Amino acid sequence: MIKIENGQKKYFDRNGKEITEGCKIKYLHGDKSLERVEKVYRTEEDELGTDATNPKWIELGRAEPCEYGIYPLNEEDTEMVVVVE
């Protein structure tokens, strides 16, 4: 869920826990092999989102985190995730 409070967007996971910059969220799926944990970043537009850079490229040293941008979280995303840290 995304709410506007005092003119700022606040993000909440499917359990109502607030999603904040720097926390980690887990995308839940029926298939455990598809579940993944992502770190949350803040975009230049002051939205929260996840790294758009291929994680394998980061692992191999071919790219830096967020080098290819940040995917902003939307309402549907917040309904699929839980905060893990």
Side-chain angles (χ1 to χ4, degrees), residues 7-9 11 21 41-49:
Q8 291 207 323
K9 283 185 179 180
Y11 298 75
E21 181 178 7
Y41 298 91
R42 186 167 301 279
T43 70
E44 291 178 4
E45 292 79 25
D46 205 30
E47 296 178 303
L48 295 181

Side-chain angles (χ1 to χ4, degrees), residues 48-61:
L48 295 181
T50 58
D51 192 347
T53 307
N54 183 327
K56 291 292 181 194
W57 287 9
I58 296 169
E59 186 179 308
L60 295 171

Side-chain angles (χ1 to χ4, degrees), residues 61-77:
R62 294 180 56 193
E64 295 293 320
C66 301
E67 185 172 336
Y68 288 89
I70 298 171
Y71 295 125
L73 291 172
N74 60 39
E75 193 75 33
E76 186 177 312
D77 292 328

Side-chain angles (χ1 to χ4, degrees), residues 3-19:
K3 293 182 181 180
I4 305 291
E5 292 182 7
N6 298 324
Q8 291 207 323
K9 283 185 179 180
K10 296 236 179 201
Y11 298 75
F12 299 90
D13 72 5
R14 68 187 298 159
N15 297 324
K17 187 168 182 177
E18 187 173 4
I19 301 169

Side-chain angles (χ1 to χ4, degrees), residues 19-32:
I19 301 169
T20 58
E21 181 178 7
C23 76
K24 293 195 178 175
I25 55 176
K26 179 189 272 189
Y27 283 83
L28 301 174
H29 295 278
D31 182 346
K32 291 270 189 196

